[in-house]
Amino acid sequence: MSVGDPISPSAPLGPPLWRQLQLVAGVLAAVRGGTSGTAALDEVEPGLRPGVQAIAFQTMRWLGRGEALRRHLAKRTPPPAADALLCTALALAWDPERAPYEPFTLVDQTVEAAKRQPHTRAQASFINACLRRFLRERDELVAATEREPVAQWNHPRWWIERLRRDHPQAWQRVLMADNGPAPLTLRINARRTSVARYLPALAALQLPARKVAEQGLELREARPVQQLPGFEVGEFSVQDAAAQLAAPLLLEGLKPAGPALQVLDACAAPGGKTAHLLERAAAVPVQVTALEIDPQRARRIDENLARLGLQADVRVADAARPESWWDGQPYDGILLDAPCTASGIVRRHPDVRWLRRESDVEQLALQQAMLLAALWPLVRVGGRLLYCTCSVFREEGSRQIDAFLAHNTNARLLPSPGHLLPQGGAGPRGLPDNALGEHDGFFYALLEKHAS
């Protein structure tokens, strides 16, 4: 099952539902404790992981509603494990039209899940009473939670308020887009094939797709990528349409100071943008240095490049400390995909909204400013730095760049997309001329260095 897939009620259950609900509640408890949903799901047995992920994603998308209903049903917050199980059931069952299984079945299996775990067995009767009352009074309880912003929008209150300040005309559209699954979008490897040649291979599998961005295809129906034609031989990568703008923005019109463009991908893992930079090298050769501070994530860059038939100078290094890895030769271009809140990719990682704290925004903005300050001296005069984040918050986007420009008089902002807000298939597109269609939230600023 691919990230963001909806749950099919008619799909075979496989393991009993009560066992899957136990594991989903465990993922929720881990997220509440500060562990990412990705890391928590990695601990689930591989054979159970796809089903658990699908149910967990739906739980995270409607957790605000589930928690609000639990507050109406229980005067006191139950112990953490029992609360996670109860909120999981309520998030899944609150709307029968969205529920992956019949609400009565979810209630029955949640109680069974509670009975079969030592650390929730004592609360099984309490969970049963809450959920049976929910079934009897569902319409009234749901109506009572409609007045609560967190229940209505299924995001933390601070997130809603910040988004409303940052994007007063679009905040509701962004929140609604966040609560839907993201499409599966491919980036076709121009070194191996083309969009025109790859489309018939999808059509043969009865998989309709439409062209997006420059080399992208958005599939109407998600499939495991290993089942798609050409995966093992590197004919495509999975990459959101908005993320596919990075390489063209940096490289278009950029002239090398020497025989080849010298490009730095400063925060490169898992290597999608590194690969795209190399895939676009045609008339002008491109030599890419890819940095990643985490050795395990750096290995993923090597693995992804190997599958695509590409090569880069991959180094385990801290981009914020050039003195430890830079040879003093300036770069023609630097791609800085900076660490951020990931507030623009909530459709793909619905746990992010519950994992982040408001204080994270300021801390990450400081880290972004440090990276900009450290890397700007490495750009040659006439060269470029592309700053991007997968965030919708202005603190990590336009305000960050405004502050940078105010303190660096040798920097000029070139035409850039700025804030691209998540699109869920409705409303105006972020960049109509690029035919992005659905895409994640991103920010782009292209900076050119001139002589002081």
Side-chain angles (χ1 to χ4, degrees), residues 22 81-82 85 113-125 127:
Q22 285 178 339
L85 192 55
K115 291 178 179 177
R116 288 176 178 258
Q117 287 188 133
H119 51 294
T120 56
R121 192 172 296 137
Q123 287 82 41
S125 295
I127 291 172

Side-chain angles (χ1 to χ4, degrees), residues 105 362 373 391:
T105 300
E362 183 177 354
S391 175

Side-chain angles (χ1 to χ4, degrees), residues 255-262 284-285 332 380:
K255 305 297 183 185
L261 278 171
Q262 299 297 320
V284 179
D332 298 301
R380 68 167 174 82

Side-chain angles (χ1 to χ4, degrees), residues 221-362:
E221 177 185 335
R223 288 283 181 88
V225 292
Q226 294 82 359
Q227 296 179 10
L228 297 178
F231 174 76
E232 295 296 338
V233 294
E235 291 190 355
F236 71 87
S237 299
V238 175
Q239 189 178 46
D240 180 75
Q244 291 187 37
L245 293 179
L249 277 168
L250 180 60
L251 297 181
E252 191 68 40
L254 183 61
K255 305 297 183 185
L261 278 171
Q262 299 297 320
V263 177
L264 173 68
D265 188 350
C267 303
K273 296 181 180 67
T274 302
H276 198 189
L277 289 165
L278 293 165
E279 288 169 12
R280 292 189 96 256
V284 179
V286 177
Q287 295 181 353
V288 178
T289 301
L291 302 185
E292 174 52 47
I293 196 169
D294 184 313
Q296 186 172 350
R297 285 170 57 80
R299 283 195 294 273
R300 288 189 62 195
I301 302 174
D302 285 320
E303 292 167 0
N304 286 330
L305 293 179
R307 182 180 65 84
L308 297 166
L310 302 169
Q311 288 187 324
D313 180 8
V314 180
R315 304 182 190 180
V316 178
D318 183 355
R321 298 182 62 248
E323 69 276 7
S324 67
W325 53 265
W326 186 43
D327 63 3
Q329 296 299 311
Y331 290 97
D332 298 301
I334 293 180
L335 172 60
L336 173 54
D337 185 3
C340 69
T341 57
S343 57
I345 57 173
V346 175
R347 295 187 305 166
R348 299 180 192 280
H349 299 280
D351 60 297
V352 164
R353 69 190 95 178
W354 310 113
L355 187 65
R356 289 296 182 199
R357 301 293 179 264
E358 187 169 16
S359 58
D360 292 342
V361 182
E362 183 177 354

Side-chain angles (χ1 to χ4, degrees), residues 212-223:
V212 295
E214 184 183 70
Q215 288 290 123
L217 286 173
E218 181 184 295
L219 275 65
R220 187 178 300 173
E221 177 185 335
R223 288 283 181 88

